[in-house]
């Protein structure tokens, strides 16, 4: 009994309730199947008991009806199924981008010394399943011959990206204007201005990076259509020395990924476009001047 109470105190109240209901239901079902027969008083006194009255068809049908038994079994199935659903935990995933220097060779990824096989391979993007809870992760990239160690605490649905090199950071680029034609703009005081599509930079390579909800890890994984009212972005690896600010990061990813540079030219990005942080420090006069300058540039580039 003490162990059962301790089991509840440790946060297993639902499991304890399920066990209690299960025991009660099993006892109830058995009581329906094996009902004890109570002798009458004449039999106990040694007399001859009168023959029992003949059961009418309705009474006979009622006494042998399987409805109570089926009802008990049904409730039992529901309770057990609910307990299984409540306790089901699919864990999370670890994501890694290959270096590209060893084509056809996969990573050696171990979780708590146990090797793990990828469940997703899209180009250089590898995804590995991992159960909930704290883990030690060992990652070896055969392309560059480097081993890395991480500590991660996984909860259900978590998605983390591991950096294969301590000098490789990540930059999140808004793909809404580049792939889907939706302008990246910041509005203040009713003034629209275009900003560089750098959403965030991640420079801590010692810890796993929690992947933003709308971020893909390769161009092939971007959705065909932009979700209604949503956004789409991509996480791109970048040398940490080039990820010190938004402007240098944007210039670097355009150089490393030529397709991204082509898209930027197509939608009219220029070197004069401000970053999001720069826009946040502008007053209304500066915003208006920028708005007019961008509008004039767009008019010049748009054929009549």
């Amino acid at each position: 009994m003490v162990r059962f109470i301790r089991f509840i105190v440790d946060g297993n109240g639902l499991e304890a309730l399920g066990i209690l209901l299960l025991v009660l239901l099993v006892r109830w079902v058995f009581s329906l199947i094996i009902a004890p027969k109570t002798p009458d008083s004449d039999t106990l006194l040694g007399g001859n008991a009168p023959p029992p009255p003949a059961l009418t068809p309705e009474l006979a049908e009622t006494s042998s009806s399987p409805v109570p038994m089926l009802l008990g079994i049904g409730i039992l199935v529901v309770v057990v199924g609910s307990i299984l659903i409540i306790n089901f935990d699919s864990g999370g995933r670890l994501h890694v981008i290959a270096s590209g220097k060893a084509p056809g060779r996969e990573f050696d990824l171990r979780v708590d010394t146990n090797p793990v096989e990828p469940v997703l391979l899209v180009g250089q993007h590898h995804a590995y399943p991992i159960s909930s809870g704290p883990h030690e992760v060992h990652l070896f990239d055969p392309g560059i011959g480097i081993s890395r160690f991480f500590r991660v605490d996984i909860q259900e649905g978590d998605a983390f990206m591991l950096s294969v090199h301590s000098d490789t950071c990540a930059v999140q680029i808004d793909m809404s204007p580049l792939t889907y034609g939706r302008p990246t703009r910041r509005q203040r005081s009713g003034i629209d201005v275009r900003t560089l599509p750098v959403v965030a930079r991640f420079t801590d390579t010692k810890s796993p990076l929690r992947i933003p909800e709308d971020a893909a890890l390769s161009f092939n994984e971007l959705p065909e259509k932009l979700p209604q009212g949503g956004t789409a972005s991509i996480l791109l690896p970048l040398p940490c020395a080039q990820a010190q600010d938004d402007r240098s990061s944007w210039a670097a990813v355009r150089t490393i990924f030529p397709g991204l540079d082509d898209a930027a030219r197509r939608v009219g990005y220029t070197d004069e476009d401000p970053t999001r942080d720069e826009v946040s420090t502008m007053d209304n006069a500066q915003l208006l001047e920028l708005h007019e300058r961008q509008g004039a540039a767009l008019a010049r580039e748009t054929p009549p």
Side-chain angles (χ1 to χ4, degrees), residues 153-164:
D153 192 352
I154 294 291
Q155 298 182 7
E156 185 174 10
D158 280 348
F160 288 96
M161 177 179 171
L162 305 181
S163 176
V164 298

Side-chain angles (χ1 to χ4, degrees), residues 149-230:
F149 295 89
F150 301 91
R151 293 181 183 273
V152 60
D153 192 352
I154 294 291
Q155 298 182 7
E156 185 174 10
D158 280 348
F160 288 96
M161 177 179 171
L162 305 181
S163 176
V164 298
H165 197 286
S166 60
D167 293 331
T168 300
C169 295
V171 176
Q172 184 181 0
I173 301 296
D174 181 10
M175 297 301 293
S176 301
L178 300 169
T179 301
Y180 309 98
R182 178 182 295 179
T184 297
R185 296 187 181 277
R186 282 292 177 269
Q187 185 182 66
R188 284 176 51 200
S189 303
I191 303 173
D192 286 336
V193 294
R194 183 179 61 215
T195 62
L196 298 184
V198 178
V199 179
R201 294 172 290 107
F202 303 95
T203 57
D204 179 12
T205 63
K206 297 180 181 179
S207 303
L209 162 63
R210 184 181 294 275
I211 301 175
E213 291 184 1
D214 69 338
L217 297 186
S218 70
F219 292 101
N220 294 334
E221 296 174 73
L222 289 168
E224 293 184 4
K225 295 182 179 180
L226 197 62
Q228 185 68 27

Side-chain angles (χ1 to χ4, degrees), residues 6 16 69 71 117 198 292:
R6 184 176 299 172
M69 184 186 305
L71 180 60
E117 295 296 327
V198 178
E292 293 174 348

Side-chain angles (χ1 to χ4, degrees), residues 253-265:
V253 295
R254 290 181 65 172
T255 301
I256 297 173
F257 303 96
L260 193 64
D261 182 61
D262 293 340
R265 294 178 182 276

Side-chain angles (χ1 to χ4, degrees), residues 90-94 109 111 116-120 127-131 154:
S90 59
R93 287 190 177 186
L94 300 177
L109 189 141
V111 177
V116 182
E117 295 296 327
V119 294
L120 174 68
Y128 299 83
I130 184 170
S131 60
I154 294 291

